[in-house]
Each structure stands twice: as C-alpha cells, then as structure tokens.
Amino acid sequence: MVNRIFELCSNKKIFLDRELLAFFSDIEFEKVEKILDVLTQVVGERIITKKIFDLHHDKFKDIIDTKKAIKDKEQRVKILKSYNFRSKKIEVSDFINHFRSRFESIKEILEKKNLINLSSIRRIGANSGIYTIIAIIKDKRITKNKNLLIEIEDLTGNSFVLVNRENKELFKIANKLLLDDIVAFKVSGTSRMLFVNDIVFPDSFLEKERYGNADEFVAFCGDFHIGSKMFLEKNLMKFIDWINGEVGDTRQKIIAKKVKYLFLTGDNVDGVSHYPGQEKFLNIKSCRGQYKKFEEILEKIRKDIQIIICPGQHDVVWLGEPQLAIGEKWACGLHKMENIHLVSNPAFVEIADGFKILMYHGASINHFINEIPDIRIGIGHKNPTQVVKEILKRRHLAPTHGLMDYVPNGEKDPLVIDIVPDIIATADQHRAEISCYNNILLISSSCWQSITPFEEKVGNIPDPCKVPLFNLKTREIKIIDFSDDEIKWKEGDNLICKLGDKNV
Ligand SMILES: [Fe+2]
C-alpha cells in the first residue's frame, strides 16, 4: 500500500509528511487517489502535510469521513480504570477502611471457590472441628520446634494457626506468605490454636487465552529514564525508526507496520532529587526539560499507533500508589497529542477485541524479591515475571503495609486485582521477559538506560533495549533487540536486519 502511495506521489511530483502517509495507509488506495487529485488542485505546495490535509478536510467529506476516522482511533483504547483523587488530610480511619475494603474484596474472590465449612474466628470459638477461615496475616514466626506460627485476623477477631514443619509442601507454601496477605486456611482445632491442613490463595485464572481478530501487534516498553546520563538515546531512536517502518528488512518492516499499540509502563524520565547525588548522573537537570525531550521523541512516532503511558517512581507524580497520570503542568505537549493516553499507575485498559491489560510499573516487585526467601535466594532479580506470578496469586499488587507508599482508599483498595486481565504489563526491573500463568500473559518490559550505581549495588543487572511484541490474532510473541548496531530477534527467529550506515 505504502509503495503504491509513493508511486502515486512520485507521478504527481509531491511529497507527504509521515503523519499523512500513516493516515493514508489505513484507507483504501482509490480514496487516497481521489483525495490527492483534489489536494493537488487546491494546494500549491509540493510537500503536503497532515495539517494541510486537516485544513481542507471539508472537501473530502464525500470521500472519507475524517471525523469518524479520528473517533474510531479514540475507540481503540478504552480506559477502564485510571485513578484520580483530590488531596486531603489522611486519618487513621482511612487506613482502617482501606484494609476493611481490601479484606472484603479478596474475601469475595475466595468465597467463590466453594470453600468447605467456611467459618470465622469468633464463630469457631471453643468448638473443636474442621473449618475454613479467610484471614489476613498479622505476624509469623518460627517456633522452638521449628514449626511456623502465624498470627491471623478476620473482621471478627484474632487467632493463631500452626503449620507443621513435617508437612514439607505446605510449610514451603506457608513460608512464602507475606504480612497482610489475605488467604483461606483449611484448619482443625479451636480458635485458640488452629492446625493448618491447607492454604488457598485467591489466585488469578482465565478459562482460556484470548485471541483477537485484528492482525495487529502490541509493543511493550518502559523505563526510558530520559534525562539520565545513562539514557540510551541512540538505541531508542533506532527503535523509533523501526516502528515507523524506516529500518529493518522486509519482514521486520511488515511487523513494524502492524504495531498499533505501544505501552509505556513508567519511569519515562529519570526525574530529579530521587536519591542523594542524582544530579551528577543527569544531563537534563529539570523535570520539564526531561518531559520536553520525552514529548519530542514520542512526536516522531507515527500517529496511527495508540500510546498508553503510566508513571513510575521516577516520574513527577506523588510516589504513593495509585500514582496519578502525568499532569499537564509538567508535560503539556503529551496532553495535546491525540494518540496519547495518560493513565495512572496501576491502570486497567482495554484495546482491540476486548484485550484487558493491567499496567503496573512494579515498585513492589523488589519487596516480593526481598521478602520471599525462595525468590531472594533463587531467581533474585533475574526473572521478573516469576515474581509477578506471586502478585497474581494474591490478587494484590503490593500487599504488605509499610514496605511502600500508598494512598489509603476507604471505598475500594485500588491495588486489589478484582478483574483478571488478559495481560499484565510491568516494568521497573529493567529486564524484558514473557511468561504465561493460568492463560494470563505476563510481560515485563526492558529499559533504555545502562546500568546505574543503584542497580550495581543491589545486584540487578539490566537487560536494556529489548522490546516484547505480541500479536493479538495469533498470540505470536517476539522480543526484538535494539541493543546492538543491528536489529536482532532475541529468540525464536533467525531474522537479522543489517542497518544502513546512517542508522547505525
Ligand atoms: Fe526504572
């Protein structure tokens, strides 16, 4: 299609700007011919831009309904949840209501599992028997006999449950419990002391994987860290050139053309004053300057790609989760771009064919790694999506109070995963990885920043410049690698693209 448009323009001795070319490539060629016939008569310019086209769009309303086309594009992204709140004085009652609401939400999920003899701590009382109780973890410790003693609480009272070390499988599961996790315990005994026979997590599960009708790709990026001296601008620009169809071999260009959505999952800029001495690692030292650069880069992306952006810990928003969408005060240009959707962190977004995507930057991932011994000693920071499985099991993005900042919400805890997504997109760990859990796709995006002193200190070695791509129709997944002079598929495909000198 694009080649036919090029040929047509060459015959008419005109040039189109990138935005108009992208717009035309989505409509029938015969209509493009008619529009260009009209345009070349009324416009004396050799270079015809989308702005010129928009100025004259009344002349084409019989050929194409441009307003409808723009509306269609808007309808491609539905923001199901993006949080907003007014700042107010936070009181103790807000935290109490927040936890009560969280307990009720997760209890409701657990109750759907047809738990046998479901009871409450007060109802059990001194009556010895076999029960299931839903409770929050208040504390846990290893006893003298090396058993695990867990203090629990529900809305009716407190109790203790004991996990015997001889039950090795169960002990391993119990050992992974975090403070403030909400789970169901299958127990026997009285409410003074209950012995655990099984632990049921709320868990996330989809009946089947979703397949769409549209042969379109979704690209997942994050952690640009613009403003940092370690920002890998040259590599990012190579990605932008690729997504615009300007570099790559024939097949890579075909795939690039099919990318219709780009998710940017936070840490878009490096920010300022995030840690002592950050200034010496910045080459853009103001937040507005960093967002200006961010806007300039996104402006280069073709306009038929919908870009969905949430903040991360380095963006200029309050650290407590949910973090509000990046404000106009800092990035007014982003608010004016019609293909950009600014959402909170976390956010819930629906795209083509009903694909529901939970975006979460992932500040809690480090806490899961630190708090779960099996993960800390085992995979550490190497496999971020394995950690995200722990999030999905708990149906909560950051369960433990005190480990990270959050904004209490007495009506509904926004960090509860009350709808199971088709895809959960995270970032923060600076490593691209894809895995699947109960028909849910887990995508961790890479970064565009080389290793920082902090990452070196905590032993998190980043894997920058990789972009996971997901096809909505076939569920084909690829990771494309922009870390080197040539564009490579990270795995599963031998296609290698040699770039021309100007792009290297
Ligand atoms: Fe980051």
Side-chain angles (χ1 to χ4, degrees):
M1 175 69 176
V2 173
N3 287 345
R4 291 179 77 192
I5 298 172
F6 277 140
E7 203 181 315
L8 179 66
C9 291
S10 158
N11 292 339
K12 289 182 178 294
K13 298 190 171 38
I14 54 168
F15 297 94
L16 308 181
D17 76 344
R18 186 186 291 159
E19 201 178 341
L20 188 55
L21 183 64
F23 181 78
F24 280 168
S25 60
D26 278 344
I27 55 181
E28 293 157 43
F29 181 72
E30 290 66 31
K31 289 183 178 174
V32 176
E33 269 183 312
K34 284 182 190 167
I35 293 168
L36 285 180
D37 281 347
V38 178
L39 265 179
T40 45
Q41 282 170 29
V42 293
V43 178
E45 312 280 339
R46 284 191 68 202
I47 298 171
I48 302 177
T49 63
K50 177 77 166 32
K51 275 187 188 143
I52 294 175
F53 169 82
D54 289 341
L55 274 175
H56 297 278
H57 80 266
D58 276 355
K59 298 183 177 67
F60 318 120
K61 61 185 175 209
D62 294 336
I63 305 170
I64 181 170
D65 186 346
T66 51
K67 281 185 183 160
K68 182 178 173 295
I70 290 165
K71 203 172 164 214
D72 284 348
K73 283 182 180 175
E74 281 171 3
Q75 284 171 347
R76 293 170 68 91
V77 177
K78 283 187 202 154
I79 310 296
L80 301 180
K81 288 183 189 182
S82 178
Y83 298 96
N84 203 349
F85 49 82
R86 272 181 301 173
S87 57
K88 63 161 201 150
K89 192 177 172 218
I90 293 171
E91 293 169 4
V92 175
S93 60
D94 293 309
F95 285 95
I96 293 168
N97 292 334
H98 177 88
F99 270 88
R100 195 176 283 265
S101 139
R102 183 199 295 185
F103 188 83
E104 294 289 2
S105 302
I106 295 181
K107 183 168 169 258
E108 208 179 300
I109 297 166
L110 282 160
E111 280 172 348
K112 288 185 183 139
K113 293 178 180 288
N114 294 323
L115 302 167
I116 295 162
N117 279 350
L118 188 61
S119 191
S120 65
I121 292 171
R122 188 166 61 196
R123 239 188 300 148
I124 292 174
N127 303 320
S128 183
I130 295 172
Y131 307 97
T132 306
I133 46 170
I134 295 169
I136 188 166
I137 313 294
K138 269 185 88 177
D139 200 5
K140 59 174 201 171
R141 65 182 169 87
I142 300 288
T143 65
K144 265 196 296 187
N145 297 327
K146 307 274 187 255
N147 297 317
L148 184 64
L149 185 68
I150 306 171
E151 188 177 357
I152 58 166
E153 184 177 0
D154 68 6
L155 295 178
T156 68
N158 298 293
S159 184
F160 289 92
V161 294
L162 191 87
V163 183
N164 192 311
R165 70 189 163 101
E166 297 301 329
N167 191 341
K168 291 194 170 47
E169 270 307 299
L170 187 64
F171 193 86
K172 203 172 160 190
I173 294 167
N175 219 16
K176 282 186 173 186
L177 286 171
L178 300 175
L179 298 188
D180 302 323
D181 271 348
I182 297 165
V183 294
F185 290 100
K186 292 184 179 175
V187 291
S188 50
T190 68
S191 69
R192 281 194 63 196
M193 176 60 78
L194 294 156
F195 298 92
V196 182
N197 303 316
D198 201 5
I199 298 168
V200 181
F201 281 85
D203 218 349
S204 303
F205 178 82
L206 288 179
E207 283 289 321
K208 55 182 181 182
E209 292 175 329
R210 184 179 293 279
Y211 283 82
N213 295 318
D215 183 16
E216 295 175 342
F217 277 89
V218 187
F220 294 88
C221 281
D223 293 277
F224 283 10
H225 285 274
I226 290 171
S228 159
K229 284 182 179 168
M230 283 78 84
F231 169 47
L232 298 166
E233 183 172 358
K234 195 176 138 195
N235 302 72
L236 181 63
M237 294 321 293
K238 203 184 295 173
F239 165 67
I240 304 288
D241 287 344
W242 171 78
I243 211 167
N244 284 333
E246 289 165 11
V247 295
D249 64 20
T250 310
R251 192 171 161 203
Q252 285 177 327
K253 282 182 177 172
I254 289 170
I255 290 178
K257 177 75 191 152
K258 288 182 184 176
V259 175
K260 296 291 176 184
Y261 302 92
L262 172 61
F263 281 81
L264 302 182
T265 322
D267 280 4
N268 303 292
V269 296
D270 205 52
V272 295
S273 306
H274 276 279
Y275 54 87
Q278 186 190 11
E279 201 174 311
K280 64 176 183 282
F281 297 109
L282 294 176
N283 56 16
I284 304 175
K285 295 184 195 293
S286 77
C287 291
R288 280 201 180 83
Q290 293 176 359
Y291 280 110
K292 185 88 194 112
K293 177 87 178 170
F294 183 45
E295 287 166 16
E296 283 166 14
I297 291 172
L298 297 189
E299 185 66 48
K300 293 182 198 302
I301 295 176
R302 50 177 230 267
K303 296 293 179 282
D304 63 324
I305 294 180
Q306 302 300 309
I307 307 172
I308 304 102
I309 306 170
C310 79
Q313 272 58 47
H314 280 258
D315 283 282
V316 188
V317 291
W318 165 242
L319 271 182
E321 293 178 353
Q323 294 185 287
L324 304 186
I326 300 159
E328 209 166 350
K329 179 182 170 192
W330 301 101
C332 60
L334 292 181
H335 285 257
K336 286 180 189 149
M337 289 160 70
E338 71 184 35
N339 61 330
I340 292 215
H341 309 260
L342 293 153
V343 295
S344 64
N345 169 43
F348 213 75
V349 175
E350 186 179 314
I351 58 168
D353 301 319
F355 274 87
K356 293 184 180 63
I357 297 165
L358 172 58
M359 291 178 87
Y360 178 54
H361 177 66
S364 69
I365 293 175
N366 278 330
H367 301 305
F368 276 91
I369 295 170
N370 293 337
E371 299 296 316
I372 299 178
D374 276 9
I375 296 180
R376 187 179 63 242
I377 299 159
I379 57 171
H381 297 272
K382 283 196 252 30
N383 299 104
T385 59
Q386 298 304 312
V387 186
V388 175
K389 284 180 189 172
E390 297 295 330
I391 287 177
L392 289 172
K393 260 163 70 179
R394 288 159 171 82
R395 298 287 286 263
H396 199 280
L397 294 165
T400 309
H401 171 81
L403 288 186
M404 51 186 291
D405 296 317
Y406 65 94
V407 182
N409 184 326
E411 283 165 32
K412 203 162 179 63
D413 177 353
L415 302 188
V416 170
I417 305 171
D418 52 358
I419 302 168
V420 178
D422 296 293
I423 301 172
I424 176 166
T426 55
D428 187 68
Q429 293 294 301
H430 293 199
R431 297 182 72 81
E433 194 188 38
I434 296 169
S435 58
C436 196
Y437 178 73
N438 295 339
N439 296 326
I440 304 157
L441 190 64
L442 284 59
I443 299 185
S444 166
S445 56
S446 163
C447 65
W448 302 87
Q449 185 188 36
S450 54
I451 190 162
T452 64
F454 176 76
E455 285 171 324
E456 229 168 340
K457 198 171 121 193
V458 298
N460 182 10
I461 312 298
D463 185 21
C465 312
K466 315 287 190 298
V467 181
L469 299 165
F470 172 69
N471 186 292
L472 297 174
K473 188 176 182 183
T474 62
R475 293 188 72 90
E476 179 187 13
I477 294 167
K478 292 191 170 298
I479 295 182
I480 191 164
D481 180 356
F482 296 89
S483 63
D484 216 337
D485 285 343
E486 56 187 11
I487 300 172
K488 293 177 281 194
W489 297 112
K490 196 180 169 205
E491 55 195 50
D493 198 319
N494 293 326
L495 287 173
I496 290 183
C497 166
K498 300 265 184 212
L499 291 175
D501 286 347
K502 87 176 174 68
N503 299 307
V504 175

